[in-house]
PDB file of all heavy atoms in Angstrom:
ATOM      1  N   GLU A 179     -20.522 -25.937 -12.338  1.00  0.00           N
ATOM      2  CA  GLU A 179     -19.562 -24.976 -12.883  1.00  0.00           C
ATOM      3  C   GLU A 179     -18.963 -24.078 -11.813  1.00  0.00           C
ATOM      4  O   GLU A 179     -17.816 -23.642 -11.925  1.00  0.00           O
ATOM      5  CB  GLU A 179     -20.236 -24.120 -13.963  1.00  0.00           C
ATOM      6  CG  GLU A 179     -20.564 -24.882 -15.244  1.00  0.00           C
ATOM      7  CD  GLU A 179     -21.119 -23.964 -16.317  1.00  0.00           C
ATOM      8  OE1 GLU A 179     -21.129 -22.731 -16.097  1.00  0.00           O
ATOM      9  OE2 GLU A 179     -21.534 -24.479 -17.372  1.00  0.00           O
ATOM     10  N   ASP A 180     -19.754 -23.771 -10.792  1.00  0.00           N
ATOM     11  CA  ASP A 180     -19.269 -22.859  -9.740  1.00  0.00           C
ATOM     12  C   ASP A 180     -18.703 -23.600  -8.538  1.00  0.00           C
ATOM     13  O   ASP A 180     -18.554 -23.034  -7.453  1.00  0.00           O
ATOM     14  CB  ASP A 180     -20.402 -21.937  -9.286  1.00  0.00           C
ATOM     15  CG  ASP A 180     -21.607 -22.703  -8.726  1.00  0.00           C
ATOM     16  OD1 ASP A 180     -21.668 -23.941  -8.917  1.00  0.00           O
ATOM     17  OD2 ASP A 180     -22.467 -22.057  -8.093  1.00  0.00           O
ATOM     18  N   ALA A 181     -18.368 -24.881  -8.700  1.00  0.00           N
ATOM     19  CA  ALA A 181     -17.828 -25.668  -7.588  1.00  0.00           C
ATOM     20  C   ALA A 181     -16.462 -25.131  -7.158  1.00  0.00           C
ATOM     21  O   ALA A 181     -15.681 -24.674  -7.996  1.00  0.00           O
ATOM     22  CB  ALA A 181     -17.703 -27.130  -7.999  1.00  0.00           C
ATOM     23  N   PRO A 182     -16.166 -25.161  -5.858  1.00  0.00           N
ATOM     24  CA  PRO A 182     -14.836 -24.754  -5.385  1.00  0.00           C
ATOM     25  C   PRO A 182     -13.748 -25.582  -6.063  1.00  0.00           C
ATOM     26  O   PRO A 182     -13.835 -26.809  -6.121  1.00  0.00           O
ATOM     27  CB  PRO A 182     -14.905 -25.049  -3.884  1.00  0.00           C
ATOM     28  CG  PRO A 182     -16.352 -25.018  -3.545  1.00  0.00           C
ATOM     29  CD  PRO A 182     -17.061 -25.541  -4.759  1.00  0.00           C
ATOM     30  N   HIS A 183     -12.737 -24.901  -6.588  1.00  0.00           N
ATOM     31  CA  HIS A 183     -11.679 -25.586  -7.339  1.00  0.00           C
ATOM     32  C   HIS A 183     -10.331 -24.961  -6.985  1.00  0.00           C
ATOM     33  O   HIS A 183      -9.763 -24.186  -7.752  1.00  0.00           O
ATOM     34  CB  HIS A 183     -11.956 -25.490  -8.836  1.00  0.00           C
ATOM     35  CG  HIS A 183     -11.039 -26.336  -9.671  1.00  0.00           C
ATOM     36  ND1 HIS A 183     -11.104 -26.390 -11.039  1.00  0.00           N
ATOM     37  CD2 HIS A 183     -10.022 -27.154  -9.316  1.00  0.00           C
ATOM     38  CE1 HIS A 183     -10.175 -27.203 -11.496  1.00  0.00           C
ATOM     39  NE2 HIS A 183      -9.510 -27.672 -10.470  1.00  0.00           N
ATOM     40  N   PRO A 184      -9.778 -25.282  -5.805  1.00  0.00           N
ATOM     41  CA  PRO A 184      -8.508 -24.693  -5.384  1.00  0.00           C
ATOM     42  C   PRO A 184      -7.310 -25.373  -6.047  1.00  0.00           C
ATOM     43  O   PRO A 184      -7.416 -26.497  -6.556  1.00  0.00           O
ATOM     44  CB  PRO A 184      -8.495 -24.939  -3.877  1.00  0.00           C
ATOM     45  CG  PRO A 184      -9.240 -26.226  -3.735  1.00  0.00           C
ATOM     46  CD  PRO A 184     -10.327 -26.182  -4.782  1.00  0.00           C
ATOM     47  N   ASP A 185      -6.192 -24.702  -6.024  1.00  0.00           N
ATOM     48  CA  ASP A 185      -4.942 -25.273  -6.511  1.00  0.00           C
ATOM     49  C   ASP A 185      -4.278 -26.028  -5.363  1.00  0.00           C
ATOM     50  O   ASP A 185      -3.798 -25.417  -4.406  1.00  0.00           O
ATOM     51  CB  ASP A 185      -4.027 -24.152  -7.016  1.00  0.00           C
ATOM     52  CG  ASP A 185      -2.678 -24.673  -7.509  1.00  0.00           C
ATOM     53  OD1 ASP A 185      -2.506 -25.908  -7.593  1.00  0.00           O
ATOM     54  OD2 ASP A 185      -1.805 -23.845  -7.794  1.00  0.00           O
ATOM     55  N   LEU A 186      -4.266 -27.348  -5.446  1.00  0.00           N
ATOM     56  CA  LEU A 186      -3.685 -28.185  -4.392  1.00  0.00           C
ATOM     57  C   LEU A 186      -2.318 -28.732  -4.785  1.00  0.00           C
ATOM     58  O   LEU A 186      -1.824 -29.677  -4.170  1.00  0.00           O
ATOM     59  CB  LEU A 186      -4.628 -29.352  -4.070  1.00  0.00           C
ATOM     60  CG  LEU A 186      -6.041 -28.991  -3.586  1.00  0.00           C
ATOM     61  CD1 LEU A 186      -6.840 -30.256  -3.316  1.00  0.00           C
ATOM     62  CD2 LEU A 186      -5.984 -28.117  -2.333  1.00  0.00           C
ATOM     63  N   SER A 187      -1.688 -28.114  -5.786  1.00  0.00           N
ATOM     64  CA  SER A 187      -0.425 -28.651  -6.300  1.00  0.00           C
ATOM     65  C   SER A 187       0.690 -28.648  -5.255  1.00  0.00           C
ATOM     66  O   SER A 187       1.605 -29.468  -5.328  1.00  0.00           O
ATOM     67  CB  SER A 187       0.014 -27.864  -7.537  1.00  0.00           C
ATOM     68  OG  SER A 187       0.190 -26.486  -7.226  1.00  0.00           O
ATOM     69  N   GLN A 188       0.617 -27.733  -4.298  1.00  0.00           N
ATOM     70  CA  GLN A 188       1.644 -27.684  -3.244  1.00  0.00           C
ATOM     71  C   GLN A 188       1.282 -28.559  -2.042  1.00  0.00           C
ATOM     72  O   GLN A 188       2.051 -28.648  -1.088  1.00  0.00           O
ATOM     73  CB  GLN A 188       1.841 -26.238  -2.776  1.00  0.00           C
ATOM     74  CG  GLN A 188       2.301 -25.289  -3.868  1.00  0.00           C
ATOM     75  CD  GLN A 188       3.586 -25.748  -4.532  1.00  0.00           C
ATOM     76  OE1 GLN A 188       4.581 -26.046  -3.856  1.00  0.00           O
ATOM     77  NE2 GLN A 188       3.571 -25.821  -5.857  1.00  0.00           N
ATOM     78  N   ILE A 189       0.122 -29.212  -2.110  1.00  0.00           N
ATOM     79  CA  ILE A 189      -0.332 -30.037  -0.988  1.00  0.00           C
ATOM     80  C   ILE A 189      -0.390 -31.513  -1.371  1.00  0.00           C
ATOM     81  O   ILE A 189       0.226 -32.357  -0.726  1.00  0.00           O
ATOM     82  CB  ILE A 189      -1.726 -29.561  -0.512  1.00  0.00           C
ATOM     83  CG1 ILE A 189      -1.638 -28.139   0.042  1.00  0.00           C
ATOM     84  CG2 ILE A 189      -2.294 -30.519   0.529  1.00  0.00           C
ATOM     85  CD1 ILE A 189      -2.972 -27.547   0.433  1.00  0.00           C
ATOM     86  N   LYS A 190      -1.110 -31.831  -2.457  1.00  0.00           N
ATOM     87  CA  LYS A 190      -1.280 -33.231  -2.861  1.00  0.00           C
ATOM     88  C   LYS A 190       0.067 -33.844  -3.256  1.00  0.00           C
ATOM     89  O   LYS A 190       0.790 -33.322  -4.106  1.00  0.00           O
ATOM     90  CB  LYS A 190      -2.264 -33.339  -4.011  1.00  0.00           C
ATOM     91  CG  LYS A 190      -2.620 -34.784  -4.391  1.00  0.00           C
ATOM     92  CD  LYS A 190      -3.676 -34.816  -5.471  1.00  0.00           C
ATOM     93  CE  LYS A 190      -4.009 -36.256  -5.874  1.00  0.00           C
ATOM     94  NZ  LYS A 190      -2.863 -36.960  -6.464  1.00  0.00           N
ATOM     95  N   GLY A 191       0.406 -34.938  -2.610  1.00  0.00           N
ATOM     96  CA  GLY A 191       1.680 -35.596  -2.857  1.00  0.00           C
ATOM     97  C   GLY A 191       2.811 -35.049  -2.010  1.00  0.00           C
ATOM     98  O   GLY A 191       3.888 -35.655  -1.939  1.00  0.00           O
ATOM     99  N   HIS A 192       2.557 -33.914  -1.342  1.00  0.00           N
ATOM    100  CA  HIS A 192       3.580 -33.290  -0.494  1.00  0.00           C
ATOM    101  C   HIS A 192       3.227 -33.381   0.997  1.00  0.00           C
ATOM    102  O   HIS A 192       4.123 -33.445   1.836  1.00  0.00           O
ATOM    103  CB  HIS A 192       3.763 -31.820  -0.876  1.00  0.00           C
ATOM    104  CG  HIS A 192       4.168 -31.605  -2.296  1.00  0.00           C
ATOM    105  ND1 HIS A 192       5.466 -31.754  -2.745  1.00  0.00           N
ATOM    106  CD2 HIS A 192       3.431 -31.246  -3.388  1.00  0.00           C
ATOM    107  CE1 HIS A 192       5.525 -31.501  -4.046  1.00  0.00           C
ATOM    108  NE2 HIS A 192       4.294 -31.185  -4.457  1.00  0.00           N
ATOM    109  N   LYS A 193       1.934 -33.343   1.298  1.00  0.00           N
ATOM    110  CA  LYS A 193       1.450 -33.408   2.673  1.00  0.00           C
ATOM    111  C   LYS A 193       0.442 -34.544   2.806  1.00  0.00           C
ATOM    112  O   LYS A 193      -0.290 -34.838   1.854  1.00  0.00           O
ATOM    113  CB  LYS A 193       0.742 -32.099   3.063  1.00  0.00           C
ATOM    114  CG  LYS A 193       1.599 -30.845   2.953  1.00  0.00           C
ATOM    115  CD  LYS A 193       2.478 -30.667   4.157  1.00  0.00           C
ATOM    116  CE  LYS A 193       3.240 -29.343   4.068  1.00  0.00           C
ATOM    117  NZ  LYS A 193       4.141 -29.157   5.222  1.00  0.00           N
ATOM    118  N   PRO A 194       0.364 -35.191   3.964  1.00  0.00           N
ATOM    119  CA  PRO A 194      -0.720 -36.145   4.188  1.00  0.00           C
ATOM    120  C   PRO A 194      -2.076 -35.438   4.091  1.00  0.00           C
ATOM    121  O   PRO A 194      -2.266 -34.363   4.666  1.00  0.00           O
ATOM    122  CB  PRO A 194      -0.466 -36.656   5.610  1.00  0.00           C
ATOM    123  CG  PRO A 194       0.995 -36.419   5.842  1.00  0.00           C
ATOM    124  CD  PRO A 194       1.310 -35.150   5.103  1.00  0.00           C
ATOM    125  N   ILE A 195      -3.000 -36.016   3.344  1.00  0.00           N
ATOM    126  CA  ILE A 195      -4.325 -35.431   3.132  1.00  0.00           C
ATOM    127  C   ILE A 195      -5.392 -36.415   3.583  1.00  0.00           C
ATOM    128  O   ILE A 195      -5.313 -37.610   3.281  1.00  0.00           O
ATOM    129  CB  ILE A 195      -4.563 -35.099   1.642  1.00  0.00           C
ATOM    130  CG1 ILE A 195      -3.653 -33.972   1.170  1.00  0.00           C
ATOM    131  CG2 ILE A 195      -6.020 -34.714   1.390  1.00  0.00           C
ATOM    132  CD1 ILE A 195      -3.787 -33.671  -0.319  1.00  0.00           C
ATOM    133  N   LEU A 196      -6.410 -35.892   4.294  1.00  0.00           N
ATOM    134  CA  LEU A 196      -7.645 -36.627   4.525  1.00  0.00           C
ATOM    135  C   LEU A 196      -8.759 -35.810   3.888  1.00  0.00           C
ATOM    136  O   LEU A 196      -9.067 -34.701   4.342  1.00  0.00           O
ATOM    137  CB  LEU A 196      -7.922 -36.835   6.013  1.00  0.00           C
ATOM    138  CG  LEU A 196      -9.251 -37.548   6.315  1.00  0.00           C
ATOM    139  CD1 LEU A 196      -9.231 -38.986   5.781  1.00  0.00           C
ATOM    140  CD2 LEU A 196      -9.550 -37.556   7.816  1.00  0.00           C
ATOM    141  N   ALA A 197      -9.335 -36.343   2.804  1.00  0.00           N
ATOM    142  CA  ALA A 197     -10.396 -35.640   2.082  1.00  0.00           C
ATOM    143  C   ALA A 197     -11.744 -36.208   2.501  1.00  0.00           C
ATOM    144  O   ALA A 197     -11.985 -37.404   2.389  1.00  0.00           O
ATOM    145  CB  ALA A 197     -10.192 -35.802   0.579  1.00  0.00           C
ATOM    146  N   VAL A 198     -12.631 -35.338   2.991  1.00  0.00           N
ATOM    147  CA  VAL A 198     -13.918 -35.755   3.537  1.00  0.00           C
ATOM    148  C   VAL A 198     -15.043 -35.364   2.580  1.00  0.00           C
ATOM    149  O   VAL A 198     -15.151 -34.202   2.183  1.00  0.00           O
ATOM    150  CB  VAL A 198     -14.159 -35.107   4.919  1.00  0.00           C
ATOM    151  CG1 VAL A 198     -15.539 -35.454   5.451  1.00  0.00           C
ATOM    152  CG2 VAL A 198     -13.069 -35.516   5.899  1.00  0.00           C
ATOM    153  N   CYS A 199     -15.867 -36.328   2.186  1.00  0.00           N
ATOM    154  CA  CYS A 199     -17.076 -36.103   1.395  1.00  0.00           C
ATOM    155  C   CYS A 199     -16.774 -35.321   0.110  1.00  0.00           C
ATOM    156  O   CYS A 199     -16.224 -35.880  -0.824  1.00  0.00           O
ATOM    157  CB  CYS A 199     -18.139 -35.412   2.253  1.00  0.00           C
ATOM    158  SG  CYS A 199     -19.807 -35.517   1.549  1.00  0.00           S
ATOM    159  N   TYR A 200     -17.089 -34.019   0.044  1.00  0.00           N
ATOM    160  CA  TYR A 200     -16.785 -33.241  -1.150  1.00  0.00           C
ATOM    161  C   TYR A 200     -15.307 -33.335  -1.487  1.00  0.00           C
ATOM    162  O   TYR A 200     -14.927 -33.447  -2.665  1.00  0.00           O
ATOM    163  CB  TYR A 200     -17.179 -31.774  -0.957  1.00  0.00           C
ATOM    164  CG  TYR A 200     -16.814 -30.898  -2.141  1.00  0.00           C
ATOM    165  CD1 TYR A 200     -17.716 -30.701  -3.186  1.00  0.00           C
ATOM    166  CD2 TYR A 200     -15.568 -30.271  -2.210  1.00  0.00           C
ATOM    167  CE1 TYR A 200     -17.379 -29.911  -4.281  1.00  0.00           C
ATOM    168  CE2 TYR A 200     -15.220 -29.488  -3.296  1.00  0.00           C
ATOM    169  CZ  TYR A 200     -16.127 -29.304  -4.324  1.00  0.00           C
ATOM    170  OH  TYR A 200     -15.781 -28.532  -5.408  1.00  0.00           O
ATOM    171  N   GLY A 201     -14.457 -33.279  -0.446  1.00  0.00           N
ATOM    172  CA  GLY A 201     -13.027 -33.368  -0.678  1.00  0.00           C
ATOM    173  C   GLY A 201     -12.647 -34.658  -1.381  1.00  0.00           C
ATOM    174  O   GLY A 201     -11.811 -34.675  -2.297  1.00  0.00           O
ATOM    175  N   ALA A 202     -13.284 -35.763  -0.972  1.00  0.00           N
ATOM    176  CA  ALA A 202     -13.017 -37.063  -1.595  1.00  0.00           C
ATOM    177  C   ALA A 202     -13.472 -37.060  -3.053  1.00  0.00           C
ATOM    178  O   ALA A 202     -12.781 -37.581  -3.947  1.00  0.00           O
ATOM    179  CB  ALA A 202     -13.721 -38.170  -0.821  1.00  0.00           C
ATOM    180  N   GLN A 203     -14.637 -36.486  -3.318  1.00  0.00           N
ATOM    181  CA  GLN A 203     -15.148 -36.421  -4.677  1.00  0.00           C
ATOM    182  C   GLN A 203     -14.327 -35.468  -5.531  1.00  0.00           C
ATOM    183  O   GLN A 203     -14.101 -35.716  -6.725  1.00  0.00           O
ATOM    184  CB  GLN A 203     -16.621 -36.003  -4.641  1.00  0.00           C
ATOM    185  CG  GLN A 203     -17.514 -37.035  -3.955  1.00  0.00           C
ATOM    186  CD  GLN A 203     -18.949 -36.578  -3.799  1.00  0.00           C
ATOM    187  OE1 GLN A 203     -19.299 -35.471  -4.176  1.00  0.00           O
ATOM    188  NE2 GLN A 203     -19.785 -37.436  -3.229  1.00  0.00           N
ATOM    189  N   TYR A 204     -13.840 -34.396  -4.931  1.00  0.00           N
ATOM    190  CA  TYR A 204     -13.001 -33.435  -5.653  1.00  0.00           C
ATOM    191  C   TYR A 204     -11.722 -34.099  -6.146  1.00  0.00           C
ATOM    192  O   TYR A 204     -11.339 -33.955  -7.315  1.00  0.00           O
ATOM    193  CB  TYR A 204     -12.671 -32.263  -4.729  1.00  0.00           C
ATOM    194  CG  TYR A 204     -11.752 -31.237  -5.349  1.00  0.00           C
ATOM    195  CD1 TYR A 204     -12.270 -30.206  -6.122  1.00  0.00           C
ATOM    196  CD2 TYR A 204     -10.375 -31.311  -5.175  1.00  0.00           C
ATOM    197  CE1 TYR A 204     -11.434 -29.269  -6.707  1.00  0.00           C
ATOM    198  CE2 TYR A 204      -9.534 -30.379  -5.754  1.00  0.00           C
ATOM    199  CZ  TYR A 204     -10.068 -29.358  -6.517  1.00  0.00           C
ATOM    200  OH  TYR A 204      -9.236 -28.443  -7.111  1.00  0.00           O
ATOM    201  N   LEU A 205     -11.056 -34.845  -5.256  1.00  0.00           N
ATOM    202  CA  LEU A 205      -9.812 -35.510  -5.647  1.00  0.00           C
ATOM    203  C   LEU A 205     -10.059 -36.551  -6.732  1.00  0.00           C
ATOM    204  O   LEU A 205      -9.219 -36.746  -7.618  1.00  0.00           O
ATOM    205  CB  LEU A 205      -9.156 -36.165  -4.432  1.00  0.00           C
ATOM    206  CG  LEU A 205      -8.588 -35.216  -3.370  1.00  0.00           C
ATOM    207  CD1 LEU A 205      -7.945 -36.014  -2.238  1.00  0.00           C
ATOM    208  CD2 LEU A 205      -7.580 -34.254  -3.979  1.00  0.00           C
ATOM    209  N   ALA A 206     -11.199 -37.224  -6.669  1.00  0.00           N
ATOM    210  CA  ALA A 206     -11.513 -38.212  -7.702  1.00  0.00           C
ATOM    211  C   ALA A 206     -11.823 -37.527  -9.031  1.00  0.00           C
ATOM    212  O   ALA A 206     -11.265 -37.877 -10.080  1.00  0.00           O
ATOM    213  CB  ALA A 206     -12.692 -39.076  -7.251  1.00  0.00           C
ATOM    214  N   HIS A 207     -12.688 -36.532  -9.003  1.00  0.00           N
ATOM    215  CA  HIS A 207     -13.177 -35.877 -10.215  1.00  0.00           C
ATOM    216  C   HIS A 207     -12.056 -35.231 -11.019  1.00  0.00           C
ATOM    217  O   HIS A 207     -12.064 -35.274 -12.265  1.00  0.00           O
ATOM    218  CB  HIS A 207     -14.223 -34.830  -9.826  1.00  0.00           C
ATOM    219  CG  HIS A 207     -14.864 -34.126 -10.979  1.00  0.00           C
ATOM    220  ND1 HIS A 207     -15.730 -34.754 -11.848  1.00  0.00           N
ATOM    221  CD2 HIS A 207     -14.767 -32.837 -11.423  1.00  0.00           C
ATOM    222  CE1 HIS A 207     -16.148 -33.890 -12.767  1.00  0.00           C
ATOM    223  NE2 HIS A 207     -15.572 -32.720 -12.525  1.00  0.00           N
ATOM    224  N   PHE A 208     -11.093 -34.615 -10.335  1.00  0.00           N
ATOM    225  CA  PHE A 208     -10.042 -33.873 -11.029  1.00  0.00           C
ATOM    226  C   PHE A 208      -8.731 -34.649 -11.150  1.00  0.00           C
ATOM    227  O   PHE A 208      -7.705 -34.065 -11.508  1.00  0.00           O
ATOM    228  CB  PHE A 208      -9.803 -32.533 -10.328  1.00  0.00           C
ATOM    229  CG  PHE A 208     -10.935 -31.565 -10.482  1.00  0.00           C
ATOM    230  CD1 PHE A 208     -11.819 -31.329  -9.440  1.00  0.00           C
ATOM    231  CD2 PHE A 208     -11.146 -30.897 -11.678  1.00  0.00           C
ATOM    232  CE1 PHE A 208     -12.879 -30.444  -9.579  1.00  0.00           C
ATOM    233  CE2 PHE A 208     -12.199 -30.014 -11.835  1.00  0.00           C
ATOM    234  CZ  PHE A 208     -13.061 -29.785 -10.779  1.00  0.00           C
ATOM    235  N   ASN A 209      -8.754 -35.942 -10.863  1.00  0.00           N
ATOM    236  CA  ASN A 209      -7.530 -36.744 -10.955  1.00  0.00           C
ATOM    237  C   ASN A 209      -7.787 -38.090 -11.627  1.00  0.00           C
ATOM    238  O   ASN A 209      -7.251 -39.116 -11.212  1.00  0.00           O
ATOM    239  CB  ASN A 209      -6.920 -36.942  -9.560  1.00  0.00           C
ATOM    240  CG  ASN A 209      -6.352 -35.662  -8.987  1.00  0.00           C
ATOM    241  OD1 ASN A 209      -5.235 -35.253  -9.309  1.00  0.00           O
ATOM    242  ND2 ASN A 209      -7.135 -35.011  -8.127  1.00  0.00           N
ATOM    243  N   GLY A 210      -8.621 -38.067 -12.671  1.00  0.00           N
ATOM    244  CA  GLY A 210      -8.798 -39.256 -13.482  1.00  0.00           C
ATOM    245  C   GLY A 210      -9.941 -40.167 -13.089  1.00  0.00           C
ATOM    246  O   GLY A 210     -10.188 -41.166 -13.767  1.00  0.00           O
ATOM    247  N   GLY A 211     -10.653 -39.862 -12.009  1.00  0.00           N
ATOM    248  CA  GLY A 211     -11.812 -40.653 -11.615  1.00  0.00           C
ATOM    249  C   GLY A 211     -13.084 -40.028 -12.142  1.00  0.00           C
ATOM    250  O   GLY A 211     -13.052 -39.111 -12.968  1.00  0.00           O
ATOM    251  N   SER A 212     -14.222 -40.523 -11.676  1.00  0.00           N
ATOM    252  CA  SER A 212     -15.495 -39.947 -12.113  1.00  0.00           C
ATOM    253  C   SER A 212     -16.475 -39.883 -10.946  1.00  0.00           C
ATOM    254  O   SER A 212     -16.516 -40.774 -10.092  1.00  0.00           O
ATOM    255  CB  SER A 212     -16.102 -40.771 -13.251  1.00  0.00           C
ATOM    256  OG  SER A 212     -16.414 -42.078 -12.814  1.00  0.00           O
ATOM    257  N   VAL A 213     -17.240 -38.814 -10.931  1.00  0.00           N
ATOM    258  CA  VAL A 213     -18.274 -38.593  -9.916  1.00  0.00           C
ATOM    259  C   VAL A 213     -19.602 -38.433 -10.637  1.00  0.00           C
ATOM    260  O   VAL A 213     -19.715 -37.640 -11.579  1.00  0.00           O
ATOM    261  CB  VAL A 213     -17.957 -37.351  -9.060  1.00  0.00           C
ATOM    262  CG1 VAL A 213     -19.089 -37.068  -8.087  1.00  0.00           C
ATOM    263  CG2 VAL A 213     -16.637 -37.531  -8.320  1.00  0.00           C
ATOM    264  N   GLU A 214     -20.607 -39.179 -10.198  1.00  0.00           N
ATOM    265  CA  GLU A 214     -21.902 -39.164 -10.861  1.00  0.00           C
ATOM    266  C   GLU A 214     -23.018 -39.007  -9.834  1.00  0.00           C
ATOM    267  O   GLU A 214     -22.815 -39.300  -8.644  1.00  0.00           O
ATOM    268  CB  GLU A 214     -22.105 -40.471 -11.646  1.00  0.00           C
ATOM    269  CG  GLU A 214     -21.075 -40.706 -12.734  1.00  0.00           C
ATOM    270  CD  GLU A 214     -21.254 -42.052 -13.408  1.00  0.00           C
ATOM    271  OE1 GLU A 214     -22.168 -42.810 -12.997  1.00  0.00           O
ATOM    272  OE2 GLU A 214     -20.472 -42.356 -14.335  1.00  0.00           O
ATOM    273  N   PRO A 215     -24.185 -38.567 -10.282  1.00  0.00           N
ATOM    274  CA  PRO A 215     -25.321 -38.500  -9.346  1.00  0.00           C
ATOM    275  C   PRO A 215     -25.649 -39.891  -8.803  1.00  0.00           C
ATOM    276  O   PRO A 215     -25.568 -40.880  -9.523  1.00  0.00           O
ATOM    277  CB  PRO A 215     -26.469 -37.975 -10.222  1.00  0.00           C
ATOM    278  CG  PRO A 215     -25.799 -37.308 -11.367  1.00  0.00           C
ATOM    279  CD  PRO A 215     -24.536 -38.053 -11.615  1.00  0.00           C
ATOM    280  N   SER A 216     -25.994 -39.961  -7.531  1.00  0.00           N
ATOM    281  CA  SER A 216     -26.313 -41.240  -6.907  1.00  0.00           C
ATOM    282  C   SER A 216     -27.669 -41.742  -7.386  1.00  0.00           C
ATOM    283  O   SER A 216     -28.605 -40.957  -7.578  1.00  0.00           O
ATOM    284  CB  SER A 216     -26.353 -41.109  -5.383  1.00  0.00           C
ATOM    285  OG  SER A 216     -25.127 -40.624  -4.895  1.00  0.00           O
ATOM    286  N   ASN A 217     -27.769 -43.052  -7.591  1.00  0.00           N
ATOM    287  CA  ASN A 217     -29.051 -43.656  -7.937  1.00  0.00           C
ATOM    288  C   ASN A 217     -29.996 -43.681  -6.747  1.00  0.00           C
ATOM    289  O   ASN A 217     -31.207 -43.652  -6.879  1.00  0.00           O
ATOM    290  CB  ASN A 217     -28.840 -45.075  -8.466  1.00  0.00           C
ATOM    291  CG  ASN A 217     -28.117 -45.082  -9.801  1.00  0.00           C
ATOM    292  OD1 ASN A 217     -28.340 -44.202 -10.620  1.00  0.00           O
ATOM    293  ND2 ASN A 217     -27.243 -46.048 -10.003  1.00  0.00           N
ATOM    294  N   ILE A 218     -29.395 -43.779  -5.544  1.00  0.00           N
ATOM    295  CA  ILE A 218     -30.177 -43.738  -4.312  1.00  0.00           C
ATOM    296  C   ILE A 218     -29.624 -42.623  -3.424  1.00  0.00           C
ATOM    297  O   ILE A 218     -28.445 -42.294  -3.498  1.00  0.00           O
ATOM    298  CB  ILE A 218     -30.093 -45.071  -3.532  1.00  0.00           C
ATOM    299  CG1 ILE A 218     -28.809 -45.777  -3.773  1.00  0.00           C
ATOM    300  CG2 ILE A 218     -31.268 -45.906  -3.641  1.00  0.00           C
ATOM    301  CD1 ILE A 218     -28.708 -47.044  -2.976  1.00  0.00           C
ATOM    302  N   ARG A 219     -30.484 -42.045  -2.610  1.00  0.00           N
ATOM    303  CA  ARG A 219     -30.047 -40.960  -1.722  1.00  0.00           C
ATOM    304  C   ARG A 219     -29.084 -41.515  -0.686  1.00  0.00           C
ATOM    305  O   ARG A 219     -29.384 -42.497  -0.015  1.00  0.00           O
ATOM    306  CB  ARG A 219     -31.253 -40.324  -1.032  1.00  0.00           C
ATOM    307  CG  ARG A 219     -32.137 -39.546  -1.978  1.00  0.00           C
ATOM    308  CD  ARG A 219     -33.433 -39.129  -1.307  1.00  0.00           C
ATOM    309  NE  ARG A 219     -33.182 -38.257  -0.155  1.00  0.00           N
ATOM    310  CZ  ARG A 219     -33.012 -36.943  -0.233  1.00  0.00           C
ATOM    311  NH1 ARG A 219     -33.026 -36.349  -1.410  1.00  0.00           N
ATOM    312  NH2 ARG A 219     -32.826 -36.212   0.831  1.00  0.00           N
TER     313      ARG A 219
END
């Protein structure tokens, strides 16, 4: 619930983005994908 949740509306689709780790999961989670706990570490 307290995860960082910035407004990227002026960036996504407007600027080239490289999302690393959390960034990659953030873009998936809030844009129609799904993020789940890993079965293995």
Side-chain angles (χ1 to χ4, degrees):
E179 290 185 6
D180 60 347
H183 189 181
D185 178 8
L186 301 180
S187 59
Q188 299 304 309
I189 296 175
K190 187 176 179 297
H192 301 280
K193 301 278 185 182
I195 293 176
L196 177 65
V198 176
C199 197
Y200 177 90
Q203 295 175 358
Y204 177 86
L205 291 181
H207 183 69
F208 291 104
N209 291 279
S212 63
V213 175
E214 299 176 358
S216 303
N217 293 324
I218 29 178
R219 291 171 61 85

